[in-house]
Amino acid sequence: MGYDLDHLKKVELRKVWPHEALDFTKWLSSPANLNMLGEAVGVELELIETESSVGSFNVDIYAQEAGTGRKVIIENQLEETNHDHLGKVITYAAGKGAQVIVWVVSHARDEHRQAIEWLNEHTDNDFGFFLVEIELWTIGDSKPAPRFNVVEQPNEWTKALRLSENLSETERVKLSYWTKYREIARSTPNFLKVFSPQKPTKDLWSTLRCGTSAYHIALLIDTQHGRTGIEFYVPDDKDIGHKAIENAQLFEKALGLKAKPFDAKKASGLRFYKDGCKIKNNEGEWPGFIAEQLGWALKMRKLIEELQL
């Protein structure tokens, strides 16, 4: 039996992007392509500016992580890694006060992989260094398609463990819960089509961006009262917040939970909790809690779109 298959063919990067700054950086800085890189490294990226000055030098792309505001630098190199660019990466990170550093290259040499690995091992949990190879491939007569391959990245488990050493028992529980949440979320395809889970924290919430800075969704846990929850949070747009509150019954129907509206001086929105969800010393039940929260998030996002908030 024959199979009608074709072959992948690798394309030289310079055939598509002749000039690193004028072509590749311009291409990568567009929202869609920056999002593609962000998905590869697990960080939701928002562009601040390109060719951003650092003293007498310029970093290719200066960005931030959506939701946290952590500063990100992206240094592009359409050739194999070298010592010059490694130095630039560190210089730009220091100059911009960046916590996320992404080095995009055509090929990573072993000594530079080891250097990035060393930086990840010897910096604290606030910093992350990524070494990413960019490739172009065609199938038959297709247009070239880009692919990002992450070859070095922070070891989140190691960093989370290191961070947990300085936390209280309750903070360690919260960090562990959100670590399990991210693991489950990343293996849930229908959730990943809509949301990008953030890195684990010691907070009572984990933010989910909705493609706008006007509002976001947050998953919640309450370790003191043994409950899980979700909220629709509007930082400072009272029109959106009040419209959500006016439609609280629709949210209640969609989620099967009782709404708790809040309307502070700036922030407003809706908060929902489910009782009987013990967090502490109950790790075996976490996957069920988390799966339910992922479902709530998808239902809430769908209703937000229907209400055109």
Side-chain angles (χ1 to χ4, degrees):
M1 181 178 178
Y3 297 94
D4 187 18
L5 301 176
D6 216 323
H7 297 282
L8 285 169
K9 182 180 179 181
K10 197 170 185 178
V11 178
E12 170 59 41
L13 299 179
R14 295 285 185 177
K15 289 184 178 180
V16 175
W17 301 298
H19 193 279
E20 200 171 89
L22 299 179
D23 298 309
F24 183 71
T25 296
K26 182 179 180 181
W27 173 85
L28 183 57
S29 63
S30 72
N33 299 322
L34 204 58
N35 182 61
M36 191 190 313
L37 175 61
E39 288 179 353
V41 300
V43 178
E44 189 174 356
L45 299 171
E46 293 179 342
L47 178 68
I48 297 178
E49 62 180 348
T50 60
E51 299 299 324
S52 184
S53 64
V54 182
S56 58
F57 301 95
N58 292 319
V59 60
D60 293 329
I61 295 177
Y62 182 41
Q64 65 182 5
E65 181 181 25
T68 68
R70 288 197 305 168
K71 297 301 179 282
V72 181
I73 64 157
I74 302 169
E75 178 65 10
N76 304 319
Q77 186 181 0
L78 293 186
E79 55 191 30
E80 72 174 14
T81 55
N82 57 36
H83 292 341
D84 177 59
H85 277 78
L86 175 60
K88 287 180 178 179
V89 164
I90 296 172
T91 300
Y92 297 159
K96 288 296 189 183
Q99 293 174 287
V100 179
I101 297 89
V102 184
W103 187 9
V104 180
V105 303
S106 66
H107 175 69
R109 295 176 58 174
D110 286 342
E111 57 266 38
H112 298 121
R113 289 185 185 216
Q114 293 171 9
I116 296 301
E117 181 182 19
W118 186 89
L119 286 167
N120 279 320
E121 290 177 349
H122 291 81
T123 54
D124 64 29
N125 191 65
D126 292 332
F127 295 89
F129 292 81
F130 296 86
L131 183 55
V132 182
E133 291 181 342
I134 174 73
E135 298 175 336
L136 287 172
W137 293 89
T138 59
I139 303 178
D141 297 326
S142 72
K143 295 180 180 179
R147 182 172 68 183
F148 291 106
N149 301 314
V150 179
V151 296
E152 286 296 337
Q153 62 185 328
N155 186 325
E156 289 188 2
W157 186 86
T158 300
K159 289 208 168 191
L161 182 62
R162 192 185 309 159
L163 174 64
S164 70
E165 295 173 353
N166 300 316
L167 300 181
S168 67
E169 179 184 354
T170 298
E171 288 174 329
R172 281 197 294 271
V173 169
K174 291 183 285 188
L175 180 64
S176 296
Y177 185 90
W178 295 125
T179 300
K180 174 59 67 174
Y181 149 72
R182 196 179 195 203
E183 174 188 325
I184 293 175
R186 283 180 157 181
S187 62
T188 307
N190 62 329
F191 184 80
L192 289 180
K193 289 179 181 178
V194 182
F195 296 111
S196 296
Q198 291 191 334
K199 73 169 189 172
T201 69
K202 59 180 180 176
D203 299 317
L204 290 169
W205 66 89
S206 186
T207 301
L208 293 169
R209 309 302 299 177
C210 297
T212 175
S213 60
Y215 55 79
H216 64 257
I217 293 170
L219 303 183
L220 311 171
I221 54 173
D222 185 339
T223 56
Q224 182 177 359
H225 298 97
R227 56 185 183 173
T228 59
I230 188 171
E231 72 176 357
F232 177 67
Y233 187 88
V234 186
D236 56 16
D237 190 322
K238 291 296 185 179
D239 290 338
I240 296 176
H242 290 168
K243 185 175 180 180
I245 293 172
E246 291 167 4
N247 287 278
Q249 289 185 339
L250 293 179
F251 283 89
E252 291 178 338
K253 182 178 180 181
L255 301 176
L257 300 169
K258 181 66 177 177
K260 296 180 179 294
F262 60 92
D263 190 5
K265 184 175 181 180
K266 286 189 175 182
S268 55
L270 296 168
R271 193 170 290 129
F272 305 82
Y273 281 107
K274 180 179 178 180
D275 294 319
C277 299
K278 181 184 176 184
I279 304 297
K280 289 185 176 180
N281 301 314
N282 197 26
E283 290 85 350
E285 298 298 322
W286 288 1
F289 298 162
I290 292 165
E292 190 169 43
Q293 287 181 294
L294 301 185
W296 292 341
L298 292 173
K299 291 175 182 178
M300 180 174 282
R301 179 65 183 271
K302 185 173 183 293
L303 181 57
I304 290 170
E305 291 175 351
E306 292 174 354
L307 292 173
Q308 298 182 342
L309 295 177

